[in-house]
Amino acid sequence: MFTIDAKSLARMAPTLKRVLIVDPNGTAAKLLAESLKGLGVGEVVHRAEGRAALDACREFEPTLIFTEYKGPHLDGEAFAKAVRRSNLMCRKVPIIMVTAEATAASILGARDSGVHEFLRKPFTSGDLTKRVEVVSLKPRNWIEAVGYVGPDRRRFNSGEYSGPKKRKADAPTKGPAADAAAKDQAMRILASAHKQFDTDPMQALRAIREQASTLKAMAMKTSDTSLVIAISGLERVLAGGQPTKATLAEPVRAVVALAAPETRAELAA
């Protein structure tokens, strides 16, 4: 039997304060809500359709969302993407996708839609607890790009994973190497967001602003004067009216010029 200590439950409490369950099956939603009681869940709201769920996100401001993968008037992937790309207060909260349709396509689709975890039906109380524990106690870096918005996909469904790193590209989590990896990722996203600006201007701008903020913090931390100056130039353009791909070109180029040599070479290719 899976157990969890009182200290961990207390740390999970903020995530369980307001839970939104999105599922066309009212019975399944009720069973999930009952299962969450053992974890000390606060208020629970249930919606059966995607549009109603988005309205609930706006009004209820959930701290945790469970969504079914598919159902009448519900596309879980589309719902997750809509939340992530919205201006909702809850756009970054953990989303756990629940379904009996555990195919490779559904798991990858869930990951790429921006959910944090994938929970197969039928599930035990231990399975549920592991997922909630992971999203509450093991935060993942947030990726704000154009093609993808959501938690870092390299640790997707980590509630079931306890072995070595899933791939060589997995970045370190602490120290100078982690800082270098984060800087490299921010540079890549910045360049990509500018390149894809015309496909989704609103999200591209949001991605550029997020990377500018990330890089500025890194530059201040490492006393990188050149990067501070370059980011300041980018921030001036972002703050001046409505930035365009053309007006952002030079300040983005100036920032990316300070990336690692191998990154610059790849971005220029």
Short mmCIF file of all heavy atoms in Angstrom, two decimals, residues 169-203:
data_model
loop_
_atom_site.label_atom_id
_atom_site.label_comp_id
_atom_site.label_asym_id
_atom_site.label_seq_id
_atom_site.Cartn_x
_atom_site.Cartn_y
_atom_site.Cartn_z
N ALA A 169 20.35 14.45 -23.64
CA ALA A 169 20.14 15.90 -23.69
C ALA A 169 19.56 16.46 -22.41
O ALA A 169 19.42 17.66 -22.26
CB ALA A 169 19.22 16.25 -24.87
N ASP A 170 19.16 15.58 -21.46
CA ASP A 170 18.62 16.08 -20.21
C ASP A 170 19.64 16.98 -19.52
O ASP A 170 20.80 16.61 -19.35
CB ASP A 170 18.27 14.92 -19.26
CG ASP A 170 16.92 14.32 -19.60
OD1 ASP A 170 16.23 14.89 -20.46
OD2 ASP A 170 16.57 13.28 -19.01
N ALA A 171 19.18 18.15 -19.14
CA ALA A 171 20.10 19.13 -18.56
C ALA A 171 20.32 18.87 -17.08
O ALA A 171 19.46 18.34 -16.39
CB ALA A 171 19.52 20.53 -18.76
N PRO A 172 21.48 19.27 -16.54
CA PRO A 172 21.71 19.19 -15.10
C PRO A 172 20.76 20.15 -14.40
O PRO A 172 20.25 21.09 -15.01
CB PRO A 172 23.17 19.62 -14.94
CG PRO A 172 23.45 20.44 -16.16
CD PRO A 172 22.64 19.82 -17.26
N THR A 173 20.50 19.90 -13.12
CA THR A 173 19.51 20.70 -12.41
C THR A 173 20.11 21.77 -11.50
O THR A 173 19.39 22.65 -11.05
CB THR A 173 18.60 19.79 -11.57
OG1 THR A 173 19.42 19.02 -10.66
CG2 THR A 173 17.82 18.84 -12.47
N LYS A 174 21.42 21.68 -11.21
CA LYS A 174 22.04 22.65 -10.30
C LYS A 174 23.44 23.00 -10.76
O LYS A 174 24.07 22.25 -11.51
CB LYS A 174 22.10 22.08 -8.88
CG LYS A 174 20.75 21.88 -8.21
CD LYS A 174 20.92 21.33 -6.81
CE LYS A 174 19.58 21.11 -6.12
NZ LYS A 174 19.74 20.53 -4.76
N GLY A 175 23.94 24.16 -10.28
CA GLY A 175 25.32 24.54 -10.51
C GLY A 175 25.55 25.26 -11.83
O GLY A 175 24.62 25.52 -12.59
N PRO A 176 26.82 25.58 -12.11
CA PRO A 176 27.18 26.32 -13.33
C PRO A 176 26.72 25.63 -14.60
O PRO A 176 26.32 26.29 -15.57
CB PRO A 176 28.71 26.38 -13.25
CG PRO A 176 29.02 26.28 -11.79
CD PRO A 176 27.99 25.34 -11.24
N ALA A 177 26.80 24.29 -14.63
CA ALA A 177 26.36 23.56 -15.83
C ALA A 177 24.87 23.77 -16.07
O ALA A 177 24.43 23.91 -17.22
CB ALA A 177 26.68 22.08 -15.69
N ALA A 178 24.09 23.79 -15.00
CA ALA A 178 22.65 24.01 -15.13
C ALA A 178 22.37 25.43 -15.62
O ALA A 178 21.49 25.64 -16.47
CB ALA A 178 21.96 23.78 -13.78
N ASP A 179 23.12 26.40 -15.10
CA ASP A 179 22.95 27.78 -15.54
C ASP A 179 23.29 27.92 -17.03
O ASP A 179 22.58 28.61 -17.78
CB ASP A 179 23.85 28.71 -14.73
CG ASP A 179 23.41 28.84 -13.28
OD1 ASP A 179 22.24 28.50 -12.99
OD2 ASP A 179 24.23 29.25 -12.44
N ALA A 180 24.35 27.26 -17.46
CA ALA A 180 24.75 27.33 -18.86
C ALA A 180 23.69 26.69 -19.75
O ALA A 180 23.39 27.21 -20.84
CB ALA A 180 26.10 26.64 -19.05
N ALA A 181 23.13 25.57 -19.30
CA ALA A 181 22.10 24.89 -20.08
C ALA A 181 20.84 25.74 -20.18
O ALA A 181 20.21 25.83 -21.24
CB ALA A 181 21.76 23.53 -19.45
N ALA A 182 20.47 26.40 -19.08
CA ALA A 182 19.28 27.25 -19.07
C ALA A 182 19.49 28.47 -19.99
O ALA A 182 18.57 28.88 -20.71
CB ALA A 182 18.97 27.72 -17.65
N LYS A 183 20.69 29.03 -19.95
CA LYS A 183 21.00 30.17 -20.83
C LYS A 183 20.94 29.74 -22.29
O LYS A 183 20.38 30.46 -23.13
CB LYS A 183 22.39 30.70 -20.50
CG LYS A 183 22.83 31.86 -21.39
CD LYS A 183 24.24 32.33 -21.03
CE LYS A 183 24.73 33.42 -21.97
NZ LYS A 183 26.10 33.87 -21.63
N ASP A 184 21.49 28.58 -22.58
CA ASP A 184 21.48 28.07 -23.95
C ASP A 184 20.04 27.86 -24.44
O ASP A 184 19.69 28.25 -25.56
CB ASP A 184 22.25 26.76 -24.01
CG ASP A 184 22.29 26.17 -25.42
OD1 ASP A 184 23.07 26.69 -26.24
OD2 ASP A 184 21.54 25.22 -25.70
N GLN A 185 19.21 27.29 -23.58
CA GLN A 185 17.82 27.06 -23.95
C GLN A 185 17.09 28.37 -24.20
O GLN A 185 16.32 28.51 -25.16
CB GLN A 185 17.10 26.26 -22.86
CG GLN A 185 15.62 26.02 -23.15
CD GLN A 185 15.00 25.07 -22.16
OE1 GLN A 185 14.79 23.91 -22.43
NE2 GLN A 185 14.68 25.58 -20.97
N ALA A 186 17.32 29.36 -23.33
CA ALA A 186 16.67 30.66 -23.48
C ALA A 186 17.09 31.33 -24.78
O ALA A 186 16.27 31.94 -25.48
CB ALA A 186 17.00 31.55 -22.29
N MET A 187 18.36 31.22 -25.12
CA MET A 187 18.86 31.79 -26.39
C MET A 187 18.18 31.13 -27.58
O MET A 187 17.77 31.80 -28.55
CB MET A 187 20.38 31.61 -26.48
CG MET A 187 21.18 32.46 -25.53
SD MET A 187 21.21 34.20 -26.06
CE MET A 187 22.52 34.84 -24.99
N ARG A 188 18.05 29.82 -27.53
CA ARG A 188 17.43 29.08 -28.64
C ARG A 188 15.96 29.45 -28.79
O ARG A 188 15.47 29.64 -29.90
CB ARG A 188 17.59 27.58 -28.40
CG ARG A 188 19.02 27.08 -28.53
CD ARG A 188 19.12 25.60 -28.15
NE ARG A 188 20.50 25.13 -28.17
CZ ARG A 188 21.11 24.67 -29.26
NH1 ARG A 188 20.45 24.62 -30.41
NH2 ARG A 188 22.35 24.26 -29.21
N ILE A 189 15.25 29.53 -27.66
CA ILE A 189 13.83 29.88 -27.71
C ILE A 189 13.65 31.31 -28.22
O ILE A 189 12.75 31.60 -29.01
CB ILE A 189 13.17 29.71 -26.33
CG1 ILE A 189 13.16 28.23 -25.92
CG2 ILE A 189 11.75 30.26 -26.35
CD1 ILE A 189 12.63 27.98 -24.53
N LEU A 190 14.52 32.22 -27.77
CA LEU A 190 14.46 33.61 -28.21
C LEU A 190 14.61 33.70 -29.72
O LEU A 190 13.81 34.35 -30.40
CB LEU A 190 15.57 34.41 -27.52
CG LEU A 190 15.69 35.89 -27.92
CD1 LEU A 190 14.43 36.65 -27.53
CD2 LEU A 190 16.91 36.51 -27.27
N ALA A 191 15.62 33.03 -30.26
CA ALA A 191 15.85 33.07 -31.71
C ALA A 191 14.69 32.42 -32.46
O ALA A 191 14.24 32.93 -33.49
CB ALA A 191 17.15 32.34 -32.04
N SER A 192 14.19 31.31 -31.95
CA SER A 192 13.09 30.60 -32.60
C SER A 192 11.81 31.43 -32.57
O SER A 192 11.06 31.49 -33.56
CB SER A 192 12.86 29.26 -31.90
OG SER A 192 11.76 28.59 -32.47
N ALA A 193 11.54 32.09 -31.43
CA ALA A 193 10.33 32.91 -31.31
C ALA A 193 10.34 34.06 -32.31
O ALA A 193 9.33 34.39 -32.92
CB ALA A 193 10.19 33.44 -29.88
N HIS A 194 11.51 34.67 -32.48
CA HIS A 194 11.61 35.76 -33.46
C HIS A 194 11.41 35.22 -34.88
O HIS A 194 10.70 35.82 -35.70
CB HIS A 194 12.95 36.46 -33.35
CG HIS A 194 13.09 37.60 -34.32
ND1 HIS A 194 13.83 37.52 -35.47
CD2 HIS A 194 12.53 38.86 -34.32
CE1 HIS A 194 13.74 38.66 -36.13
NE2 HIS A 194 12.96 39.48 -35.45
N LYS A 195 11.99 34.07 -35.16
CA LYS A 195 11.87 33.47 -36.48
C LYS A 195 10.41 33.12 -36.80
O LYS A 195 9.96 33.26 -37.94
CB LYS A 195 12.74 32.22 -36.56
CG LYS A 195 12.78 31.57 -37.93
CD LYS A 195 13.74 30.39 -37.93
CE LYS A 195 13.81 29.74 -39.32
NZ LYS A 195 14.76 28.59 -39.33
N GLN A 196 9.66 32.67 -35.79
CA GLN A 196 8.27 32.25 -35.98
C GLN A 196 7.27 33.37 -35.67
O GLN A 196 6.08 33.11 -35.55
CB GLN A 196 7.96 31.05 -35.08
CG GLN A 196 8.82 29.84 -35.34
CD GLN A 196 8.50 28.71 -34.38
OE1 GLN A 196 7.43 28.11 -34.43
NE2 GLN A 196 9.42 28.44 -33.47
N PHE A 197 7.75 34.59 -35.56
CA PHE A 197 6.92 35.71 -35.12
C PHE A 197 5.63 35.83 -35.92
O PHE A 197 4.55 36.05 -35.36
CB PHE A 197 7.72 37.02 -35.21
CG PHE A 197 7.08 38.18 -34.50
CD1 PHE A 197 7.43 38.49 -33.21
CD2 PHE A 197 6.12 38.96 -35.13
CE1 PHE A 197 6.86 39.56 -32.54
CE2 PHE A 197 5.53 40.03 -34.49
CZ PHE A 197 5.90 40.33 -33.18
N ASP A 198 5.72 35.70 -37.23
CA ASP A 198 4.54 35.92 -38.07
C ASP A 198 3.48 34.83 -37.93
O ASP A 198 2.32 35.05 -38.26
CB ASP A 198 4.96 36.02 -39.54
CG ASP A 198 5.78 37.27 -39.82
OD1 ASP A 198 5.62 38.26 -39.07
OD2 ASP A 198 6.59 37.26 -40.77
N THR A 199 3.85 33.65 -37.43
CA THR A 199 2.88 32.57 -37.30
C THR A 199 1.96 32.77 -36.10
O THR A 199 0.80 32.35 -36.12
CB THR A 199 3.57 31.21 -37.18
OG1 THR A 199 4.34 31.18 -35.96
CG2 THR A 199 4.50 30.97 -38.37
N ASP A 200 2.47 33.39 -35.05
CA ASP A 200 1.68 33.63 -33.84
C ASP A 200 2.29 34.80 -33.08
O ASP A 200 3.03 34.62 -32.11
CB ASP A 200 1.67 32.37 -32.96
CG ASP A 200 0.69 32.45 -31.80
OD1 ASP A 200 0.25 33.58 -31.48
OD2 ASP A 200 0.37 31.40 -31.22
N PRO A 201 2.03 36.03 -33.53
CA PRO A 201 2.67 37.21 -32.93
C PRO A 201 2.48 37.34 -31.43
O PRO A 201 3.42 37.69 -30.72
CB PRO A 201 2.00 38.38 -33.68
CG PRO A 201 1.57 37.78 -34.99
CD PRO A 201 1.15 36.39 -34.66
N MET A 202 1.27 37.06 -30.93
CA MET A 202 1.01 37.22 -29.50
C MET A 202 1.88 36.28 -28.67
O MET A 202 2.52 36.68 -27.70
CB MET A 202 -0.46 36.97 -29.17
CG MET A 202 -0.81 37.25 -27.71
SD MET A 202 -2.54 36.90 -27.29
CE MET A 202 -2.49 35.11 -27.15
N GLN A 203 1.91 35.00 -29.06
CA GLN A 203 2.71 34.04 -28.30
C GLN A 203 4.19 34.27 -28.51
O GLN A 203 5.00 34.09 -27.59
CB GLN A 203 2.34 32.61 -28.71
CG GLN A 203 3.08 31.53 -27.93
CD GLN A 203 2.89 31.65 -26.42
OE1 GLN A 203 1.82 32.02 -25.93
NE2 GLN A 203 3.93 31.36 -25.66
#
